Amino acid sequence: MRTSFERHYVKDLAVNAHPDAVRAFNATPPVRRKFFAGSRGAYRAGHHYVVAPQRWERTVDGKVWVGVFAHEIGHAIDLHGRGPRGGRSLWLAPAIRRDRAAMPPRPQPDFGRPRRGEFERALCAFPDAARAVLLAWLPADGAAGRFAVAWADGRLEEAIGGFIRLRRTTAVVSACREDARLQLYALAKVGDFIGAVYDGRRGGGHARTYYRELPPLIGPSLTVGHPAEAFANAYVCDVITGMELLSFLVASAAPHTHAAYRVLLRCIGEGRCAPSPDDLPVPAV
């Protein structure tokens, strides 16, 4: 039996959520909900609960909490039953190292105006389903094309920042502002995924000071928090509406990490992950 807290938010996740993500959720013990005054969304591994608002079923943040729920459930799938040495996501560490080694330099901003042909070529690089979501989320003239051009050029932060600025304006005036706010949250999680993989040298999200306070794997530039946040953010991108686009973005930004995450997700869903890190060696990274 799942808890009422879980059932409330699961019904609003994507109907086509990745099947391995669904199986991993089903393989995880039911997650309870707790409330502490002044607290925001968080997962507490020691007691297996998510911190949520006092009246979580009618929170003023609306659909944004669907995304927050997905992120914290990602942490629950990764961390439940594990000790302070880290969660199942430790297995992602070698893949993160590979992506960091292959990280291209940050491109210079492009202040020119792309031509229509550039829009079309960049959009064609997106899979059909991802392109359809992007065009639906950024229907303004040329907005989806500008995003695609920036993403194809490796200007990931510029693409995400432009999306957020445009949708933040739309969220104020649109009748579908709840959907727009969830999309803002989702793109921020894409940035957080990139920041976790590349330790803040690309992307955004958690500051380096957050990671430095967590146990290191090898040196402060790779702590147990980096793979944990990468896993939880990738999970968001696999289960909320628009996942066709979101999953493509994280996979193209850090292909080795995303591929390893998908293998790990399948193993969790099949019950092939040990309940305690003491049963497994810490990955050599």
Side-chain angles (χ1 to χ4, degrees), residues 13-285:
L13 297 179
V15 295
N16 60 336
H18 195 284
D20 287 338
V22 175
R23 281 190 284 268
F25 172 76
N26 290 333
T28 302
V31 179
R32 298 174 298 142
R33 168 259 172 202
K34 293 279 188 179
F35 166 73
F36 302 99
S39 297
R40 299 180 63 84
Y43 172 68
R44 301 290 183 238
H47 301 281
H48 196 51
Y49 63 72
V50 169
V51 178
Q54 187 170 19
R55 300 183 69 84
W56 53 267
E57 71 279 12
R58 289 197 296 242
T59 174
V60 295
D61 287 325
K63 280 192 175 181
V64 171
W65 257 92
V66 176
V68 176
F69 169 82
H71 181 85
E72 302 308 338
I73 287 297
H75 281 312
I77 291 169
D78 174 25
L79 297 169
H80 81 88
R82 308 293 286 216
R85 291 174 62 199
R88 295 160 180 80
S89 58
L90 286 175
W91 192 77
L92 304 182
I96 290 176
R97 288 287 194 195
R98 290 184 67 188
D99 277 323
R100 289 184 180 182
M103 182 183 70
R106 186 191 298 268
Q108 293 296 317
D110 186 356
F111 298 107
R113 291 180 60 85
R115 296 181 179 179
R116 181 66 61 179
E118 292 180 82
F119 288 178
E120 294 172 356
R121 283 192 295 273
L123 284 168
C124 285
F126 283 57
D128 291 345
R131 183 168 61 252
V133 172
L134 181 60
L135 290 168
W137 282 9
L138 294 178
D141 183 42
R146 285 190 291 274
F147 179 97
V149 168
W151 194 266
D153 289 347
R155 293 178 281 119
L156 312 183
E157 298 83 2
E158 182 181 330
I160 293 173
F163 180 102
I164 289 175
R165 285 191 299 273
L166 182 60
R167 289 307 271 156
R168 185 174 289 136
T169 302
T170 307
V172 173
V173 300
S174 172
C176 299
R177 58 184 176 274
E178 288 297 319
D179 291 330
R181 292 179 68 201
L182 180 56
Q183 292 159 19
L184 287 171
Y185 179 87
L187 261 291
K189 293 295 103 177
V190 172
D192 197 11
F193 170 86
I194 297 169
V197 172
Y198 297 111
D199 191 36
R201 290 174 291 168
R202 299 300 308 269
H206 290 76
R208 284 187 175 183
T209 52
Y210 164 80
Y211 293 112
R212 298 302 182 266
E213 295 173 355
L214 299 171
L217 292 176
I218 291 183
S221 63
L222 185 57
T223 70
V224 298
H226 289 92
E229 293 300 336
F231 183 96
N233 288 316
Y235 189 81
V236 172
C237 296
D238 269 349
V239 299
I240 67 171
T241 300
M243 52 84 62
E244 300 90 346
L245 171 64
L246 301 169
S247 294
F248 167 74
L249 295 179
V250 294
S252 58
H256 297 297
T257 303
H258 187 261
Y261 151 77
R262 281 283 178 81
V263 171
L264 178 59
L265 195 67
R266 186 184 319 122
C267 291
I268 294 172
E270 294 172 354
R272 294 194 283 131
C273 287
S276 170
D278 294 332
D279 298 331
L280 291 174
V282 176
V285 294

